[in-house]
Amino acid sequence: MMEEEELEFVEELEAVLQLTPEVQLAIEQVFPSQDPLDRADFNAVEYINTLFPTEQSLANIDEVVNKIRLKIRRLDDNIRTVVRGQTNVGQDGRQALEEAQKAIQQLFGKIKDIKDKAEKSEQMVKEITRDIKQLDHAKRHLTTSITTLNHLHMLAGGVDSLEAMTRRRQYGEVANLLQGVMNVLEHFHKYMGIPQIRQLSERVKAAQTELGQQILADFEEAFPSQGTKRPGGPSNVLRDACLVANILDPRIKQEIMKKFIKQHLSEYLVLFQENQDVAWLDKIDRRYAWIKRQLVDYEEKYGCMFPREWYMAERIAVEFCHVTRTELAKIMRTRAKEIEVKLLLFAIQRTTNFEGFLAKRFSGCTLTDGTLKKLESPPTSTNPFLEDEPTPEMEELATEKGDLGQPKKPKAPDNPFHGIVSKCFEPHLYVYIESQDKNLGELIDRFVADFKAQGPPKPNTDEGGAVLPSCADLFVYYKKCMVQCSQLSTGEPMIALTTIFQKYLREYAWKILSGNLPKTTTSSGGLTISSLLKEKEGSEVAKFTLEELCLICSILSTAEYCLATTQQLEEKLKEKVDVSLIERINLTGEMDTFSTVISSSIQLLVQDLDAACDPALTAMSKMQWQNVEHVGDQSPYVTSVILHIKQNVPIIRDNLASTRKYFTQFCIKFANSFIPKFITHLFKCKPISMVGAEQLLLDTHSLKMVLLDLPSIGSQVVRKAPASYTKIVVKGMTRAEMILKVVMAPHEPLVVFVDNYIKLLTDCNTETFQKILDMKGLKRSEQSSMLELLRQRLPVPPSGVESAGSLSLMAPTPEQESSRIRKLEKLIKKRL
């Protein structure tokens, strides 16, 4: 029981002595110690093991116990001393607290005394400064009163003087005085409740009203609306009256300008009435000459009368433009049937010139937002109607034969007057559109007649196929029409012109390009082969002449140029037209038409070379291959095919030098046409002996090398053939070689022969296998068992096919077959 109580006491003591890490760290910092007994993680067992590491060390156990007991007694003495020292701490603390409270009470009393003294000092200062504040307020009020009285005196005197000067029409003095009176009156806005001030304000307003009416009456007297003749020169009184009008209500100024401009243009309305001969478009120059004279007359007589900031000359010109636009629109609606395209273009040209004159003369600051619609890009410098001052851009249009995208777009100057008059011609631009439709129709007919008269282009083997000059002429004319129309309108007329462009692009493609392609003598490849089979071996077939080949290449180059230029034309039209109409500009159909012409041209070139090689392939299929006794050089039919290739391909390549991608298309299409046809004729060569198969394999290899060299054949500059073309040739001709290798292989044992066939031909099937057996000259009875064996082995998975093929390759072959293969390889290496 005693032991259990001691254990419980130790556990409770350990639980009490468990300190937090923060407290333990603080103790270690305040009382650093190296004694293991002071560590927080003290372990009694480890400590005892440290004191007695061995059994021999237990001999001095009594000494160690005595030391520990001594240390315990010292700790007890220290604890006892500390505890006894804390007996009087509570009493000392209470005494210190009482002393602190007494000190705080004394401090509070001193602060209260200081506050009382401060309040007394503040009261004393207020009493001292009370009189000074009263004097300051009195001074401020007195100053305000004096200033107000002075302003009142000035206002009263100014109003009296203003009324007197108004009656005497002394506008020069009134202009200065009125502004001063209005400035002084602003100081009395907060005193309007005082009757006298309100009365003075009403008198100022009455004086302003009277001045406005009086000035308007003076201008009406000087410039009567129904007057017979205007005064000879400006009046100083009216000049001063304009200065007064600047200060009065803006409506007075607007009324003065309106009456003056109306009176100034009254003669114009009489001279150019709708029923007058000079009012028609053919005499539109007289309108602009009249306003120029009036502007000169205004500057001489009235330039000093109106203030400069009124911009009276510009306002007269702008009003003239509005009136002219209205009058021209009215007379053109009435006499719409008399409008011809030359007359319309003449009027537009003169009007555009006049708008350019206004832009040089005036800044356009009087134009309001709703006056006119400013075009986004009105480049007057490229206006095709400016005949008086031709610009470099116009000269470039006249001589340009190149691409639409080549000339740089000139920077468009800001012309605020563009369209201010010429906008009235927009509803009548259908006359211009119809004229362009007729002109383009005549241009296409002339192109057709010129082509028939001049004949096809001369052969060109130095610089590539020549583009027909007519296409450049067509697009230059298109650009000229587009620039003209964009100067007149960027709305619906541009859409109508685009429709005309589309119509004649299609006609050019049909009549000039497709219509002049040479016609083939046969309608299909089957008819060509059957007719060739009836001809004697080595006979020539009808093929295109050198001129016809050059013509096809020229048409192809022209179609390619038209395709690229049509795309650029579409982009230019979208730049010129309004943003809301961009979606209606679409020349995709016309570009597809030119693409069709390109495809037709390439197909004609392929058919021509393909047909030229047909007799040689026919001769190959008619040869007695079972009678060939030895393998020699390449066969005559191979020489014939190579000869035709060397005749046609260099001509086509040189004439398509500017369009290399289409020459590559020609090579690819020819390979895709010739190689299947060659394999078809190869299957017709039956029966074939072993030597005959070797000769055919040699010929096939020769044709393969020629086809790989086709893009650069006969050229001094050797270029690497495109990878896409090389892949087609290698794949097709390798299949032909594999067919011949299967034919050369012995058909016994059957399993080895069938596995070789499956291994060599990836696209193996019973139909091809049947043709190979026919080429070997096997009987039908022998073929049936082999076909059945092939059907059994075809379903084997690819891995099984590969393993079977490897086994067949490892199978022994006859010595004769081995010697023949080695002989053929040596012959091929010798030729290479």
Side-chain angles (χ1 to χ4, degrees), residues 37 78 143 178 229 249 251 263 316 363 374 424 469 614 636 661 671 726 782 829:
L37 295 173
N78 292 336
T143 302
L178 179 60
K229 187 178 180 181
D249 190 345
R251 289 178 293 181
Q263 196 277 338
I316 293 172
S363 63
K374 294 183 181 180
C424 66
D614 279 345
K661 63 178 180 179
T726 302
E782 296 176 329
K829 291 179 180 179

Side-chain angles (χ1 to χ4, degrees), residues 102 157 385 483 656 695:
K102 291 178 181 179
F385 306 116
V483 173
L656 294 181
Q695 181 64 49

Side-chain angles (χ1 to χ4, degrees), residues 75 565 750:
L75 288 174
T565 313
L750 297 181

Side-chain angles (χ1 to χ4, degrees), residues 451 510-523 542-545 548-549 551-552 555 600 604 607-608:
F451 190 92
W510 294 333
K511 293 183 179 180
I512 308 299
L513 301 182
S514 296
N516 288 304
L517 284 173
K519 303 298 186 293
T520 55
T521 56
T522 56
S523 58
K543 56 180 295 187
F544 293 140
T545 62
E548 289 175 331
L549 287 177
L551 173 60
I552 295 173
I555 290 176
S600 301
L604 278 179
Q607 289 178 0
D608 179 61

Side-chain angles (χ1 to χ4, degrees), residues 553-618:
C553 293
S554 180
I555 290 176
L556 192 153
S557 300
T558 303
E560 192 270 340
Y561 171 87
C562 292
L563 175 63
T565 313
T566 300
Q567 183 178 1
Q568 296 172 8
L569 175 64
E570 181 182 35
E571 295 173 358
K572 293 295 181 181
L573 287 170
K574 289 182 178 180
E575 291 178 5
K576 299 291 184 181
V577 79
D578 289 340
V579 177
S580 59
L581 302 176
I582 288 180
E583 296 297 329
R584 296 173 62 181
I585 304 291
N586 187 359
L587 303 183
T588 305
E590 289 65 38
M591 288 187 274
D592 292 342
T593 302
F594 289 118
S595 298
T596 303
V597 174
I598 293 173
S599 300
S600 301
S601 302
I602 295 175
Q603 191 62 34
L604 278 179
L605 296 173
V606 172
Q607 289 178 0
D608 179 61
L609 182 56
D610 208 13
C613 297
D614 279 345
L617 297 179
T618 303

Side-chain angles (χ1 to χ4, degrees), residues 205-239:
K205 292 181 180 179
Q208 288 179 324
T209 304
E210 183 180 356
L211 275 172
Q213 295 175 353
Q214 188 170 299
I215 291 173
L216 289 177
D218 292 343
F219 270 93
E220 181 66 26
E221 182 181 353
F223 305 102
S225 300
Q226 303 294 331
T228 57
K229 187 178 180 181
R230 292 196 298 269
S235 169
N236 292 331
V237 175
L238 296 181
R239 180 185 61 193

